[in-house]
Amino acid sequence: MANKKLKSASAVILRAREHESYGTLVWRRFRKSKIAILGGLMVIMLIVLAIFSDFFAPYDPVRLNMRSGYIPPHRVHFIDAEGKFHLRPFIYGWKQVLDENMFPKWVEDTSKAYPIYFFVRGWEYKLLGFIPMNIHLYGLKDPEGMIFLLGSDKFGRDIFSRSCLAGRISLSMSLFGTIISVAVGSVLGVISGYFGGAVDTYMQRFVEFVQSFPQLPLWMALAAIIPDTWDQFAVFVVMSSIFALLSWTLLAREVRGKVLSLRETDFVLAAREMGASDWRIIFHHLYPNTLSHTIVVLTLTIPTIILAESFLSFLGIGIQEPLVSWGVMMREAQTIQTLGFNIWIISPVFFIFIAVLGWNFLGDGLRDAADPYTIL
């Protein structure tokens, strides 16, 4: 009796879903996953910080200020040293003193507080590249004070401002490289699975040939031969292409397997009988049926490329100055002395962590939502 009721309920749900669009069904299942929603919010936050990095940055992320080198992150207070509560947040400045072992250490100078203001005027920039502005989300009006929420590097540059700017390179490069990889892998996979025979044999042997190369050493070798004289845009395009070079093979195999199961279905046979060309069947009937899987692979490939770019840039063979990425910023944390005395230099690792975790959460939710016709 219980099985009959369950089958009856499932049939009712399936009939109700038949009258809804595929996008509606995917969104309905996706929004049930709290982890996927959290991942989407994390990704959106990083994208907003990257696009509007100049607005969120209180200081110019590329301007040098040697007098402010290696300043620890400021602590935001609402209660002052005397125990009084303030509605407006404020910070204290830092000063260096000697501890009992005669080593210098940073302590807060509570003799003067610096109120934090929002939507303040500061250094000039162009919003979205063409709108002149000088308004920033937060900052200090006192010219004697400076606020570093994540500290400063050895050149006195605000790490938070540089981390927001670095997101433009790290995220856009991973997106660009992933799009190339997904486009190549999905198209070749569909063609290989549809035609079969000699076409499938030669294409799959080529896929196996590419997969036989170890990815990381080849990425390192290709990145190391990029000339230092190339301009920033050329380096960006070439690095993105290098990351896409070895990332498309797995998707090609997966899409091929999916197309092998679809090419003998009724709608493909009907299209062939009606005189549809092979390319129309491939791109009008088969390829759209692989998009759900392709989108999931896209979201799961992005964090892999982010980690690869960060690793290569950390080793000094990836992105180079004046371009700024999270990996370039982590390069300063290669010495024990820096980590021992200026631990805040590794702050960009949290942006990498949030990006990788967010994209993985989002991809996991999309993977479950891509097949909305199954009963949860």
Side-chain angles (χ1 to χ4, degrees):
M1 182 65 68
N3 291 334
K4 290 183 178 180
K5 291 183 178 180
L6 181 59
K7 292 181 179 179
S8 177
S10 300
V12 171
I13 294 175
L14 289 174
R15 285 197 299 271
R17 291 180 178 181
E18 290 177 355
H19 300 285
E20 295 181 333
S21 65
Y22 176 77
T24 302
L25 295 176
V26 170
W27 170 245
R28 175 180 294 178
R29 172 167 286 194
F30 177 80
R31 67 185 182 184
K32 291 182 180 179
S33 175
K34 296 181 180 179
I35 292 296
I37 295 297
L38 176 61
L41 293 176
M42 294 165 67
V43 170
I44 292 174
M45 178 190 69
L46 290 177
I47 292 176
V48 171
L49 286 176
I51 294 176
F52 303 101
S53 61
D54 297 328
F55 169 72
F56 290 104
Y59 305 109
D60 190 342
V62 298
R63 183 178 180 182
L64 305 183
N65 185 4
M66 305 303 295
R67 293 181 298 177
S68 302
Y70 286 140
I71 293 181
H74 288 102
R75 302 168 185 171
V76 179
H77 299 274
F78 286 92
I79 301 177
D80 60 21
E82 299 177 356
K84 297 180 180 179
F85 177 79
H86 299 261
L87 290 176
R88 180 176 297 280
F90 63 91
I91 63 169
Y92 290 119
W94 290 105
K95 64 179 180 180
Q96 276 191 325
V97 298
L98 299 178
D99 59 12
E100 60 276 5
N101 297 320
M102 302 302 293
F103 285 104
K105 68 175 183 179
W106 292 96
V107 295
E108 287 187 320
D109 183 5
T110 58
S111 61
K112 183 177 181 181
Y114 299 94
I116 301 175
Y117 295 89
F118 296 95
F119 303 102
V120 298
R121 297 186 181 276
W123 61 283
E124 296 183 354
Y125 62 95
K126 291 185 178 181
L127 185 66
L128 301 177
F130 64 92
I131 305 176
M133 289 188 65
N134 61 356
I135 303 297
H136 301 272
L137 178 63
Y138 68 94
L140 306 180
K141 293 185 177 180
D142 193 331
E144 296 182 1
M146 299 192 74
I147 178 171
F148 300 119
L149 294 182
L150 296 180
S152 65
D153 62 9
K154 62 181 178 181
F155 296 113
R157 298 171 297 191
D158 181 27
I159 293 181
F160 177 75
S161 301
R162 288 179 60 79
S163 297
C164 294
L165 179 63
R168 292 183 178 180
I169 296 297
S170 296
L171 291 176
S172 59
M173 179 173 294
S174 61
L175 283 170
F176 187 63
T178 302
I179 290 173
I180 295 176
S181 172
V182 167
V184 173
S186 59
V187 171
L188 293 183
V190 172
I191 294 174
S192 177
Y194 175 75
F195 286 107
V199 174
D200 182 47
T201 300
Y202 288 122
M203 293 185 70
Q204 293 309 307
R205 299 298 79 78
F206 178 71
V207 168
E208 293 168 359
F209 173 76
V210 175
Q211 285 183 324
S212 65
F213 291 97
Q215 287 193 356
L216 187 57
L218 186 58
W219 277 343
M220 295 174 63
L222 293 175
I225 63 176
I226 297 178
D228 296 334
T229 56
W230 283 13
D231 59 27
Q232 300 180 14
F233 180 75
V235 173
F236 175 85
V237 173
V238 172
M239 286 295 298
S240 301
S241 302
I242 290 174
F243 292 131
L245 180 63
L246 299 177
S247 304
W248 61 270
T249 55
L250 182 60
L251 177 61
R253 279 290 183 87
E254 295 174 349
V255 171
R256 169 185 175 268
K258 193 174 184 65
V259 171
L260 286 175
S261 63
L262 291 174
R263 68 178 184 178
E264 301 300 331
T265 53
D266 293 340
F267 72 94
V268 175
L269 295 176
R272 189 179 294 123
E273 290 296 329
M274 294 176 65
S277 64
D278 291 334
W279 298 112
R280 178 174 176 81
I281 294 175
I282 289 175
F283 291 106
H284 187 73
H285 297 286
L286 291 177
Y287 190 76
N289 281 279
T290 65
L291 284 180
S292 60
H293 181 78
T294 301
I295 293 174
V296 173
V297 172
L298 186 147
T299 58
L300 295 178
T301 304
I302 289 175
T304 303
I305 296 183
I306 290 176
L307 290 175
E309 182 276 324
S310 301
F311 177 74
L312 294 180
S313 298
F314 176 77
L315 295 179
I317 56 178
I319 299 298
Q320 304 289 338
E321 296 277 4
L323 293 178
V324 184
S325 69
W326 292 326
V328 171
M329 296 184 64
M330 289 297 297
R331 196 182 304 166
E332 294 187 24
Q334 292 183 344
T335 62
I336 299 297
Q337 181 180 5
T338 301
L339 292 177
F341 294 97
N342 310 305
I343 189 64
W344 59 86
I345 293 297
I346 67 172
S347 298
V349 75
F350 294 104
F351 287 83
I352 300 175
F353 175 78
I354 293 174
V356 173
L357 203 61
W359 281 111
N360 277 304
F361 284 169
L362 181 61
D364 187 67
L366 287 175
R367 180 178 58 194
D368 295 335
D371 188 11
Y373 298 105
T374 58
I375 305 297
L376 290 177

